[in-house]
Amino acid sequence: RCFVLNLKLSKEKKVAEDQEQRLRASDERCRQLDEELQRLKAVHDGRETCEGKCKRLERELEQAREEIAAKCSTVLDRELAQLQAEVAQKGREAIESELG
């Protein structure tokens, strides 16, 4: 009877050890999957951050283009007015010299 009980106990120990080994392997796999999930989340967060930076830079670029266009327009308007004044002056001088 003792031998049979020892045999059953040995089998149950073996089953328990196998289950414990499978549980450890499962825990390790869960840990690996969790690490992979954290890595993927970090990559995803980084991608969102990059997209946000890209959009911000696009807005800044558009704003800079508008500012440059406005400054160029102002400079060109000023130069045009100066040239028109010079042409008008030279025209008056030419008319005066022909009349005078």
Side-chain angles (χ1 to χ4, degrees), residues 70-87:
K71 287 178 183 176
C72 285
S73 177
T74 301
V75 168
L76 289 174
D77 288 345
R78 195 176 329 135
E79 288 179 358
L80 177 61
Q82 184 179 354
L83 286 173
Q84 287 173 334
E86 289 175 12
V87 167

Side-chain angles (χ1 to χ4, degrees), residues 7 12 36 40 49-50 54 59 64 68 77 82 89 95 97:
L7 191 59
E12 286 180 17
E36 180 68 10
L40 290 173
T49 299
C50 286
C54 186
R59 284 191 305 269
I68 289 170
D77 288 345
Q82 184 179 354
Q89 177 65 32
I95 291 172
S97 71

Side-chain angles (χ1 to χ4, degrees), residues 8-44:
K8 283 184 179 181
L9 183 60
S10 290
K11 284 183 183 180
E12 286 180 17
K13 273 184 161 181
K14 177 70 174 149
V15 168
E17 287 172 357
D18 288 347
Q19 286 177 343
E20 185 178 351
Q21 188 176 6
R22 282 195 299 266
L23 183 60
R24 282 190 192 132
S26 178
D27 283 348
E28 176 62 21
R29 182 70 181 138
C30 284
R31 186 188 64 72
Q32 290 172 350
L33 289 172
D34 188 52
E35 286 176 0
E36 180 68 10
L37 176 63
Q38 296 305 319
R39 188 187 68 73
L40 290 173
K41 281 182 180 179
V43 167
H44 179 72

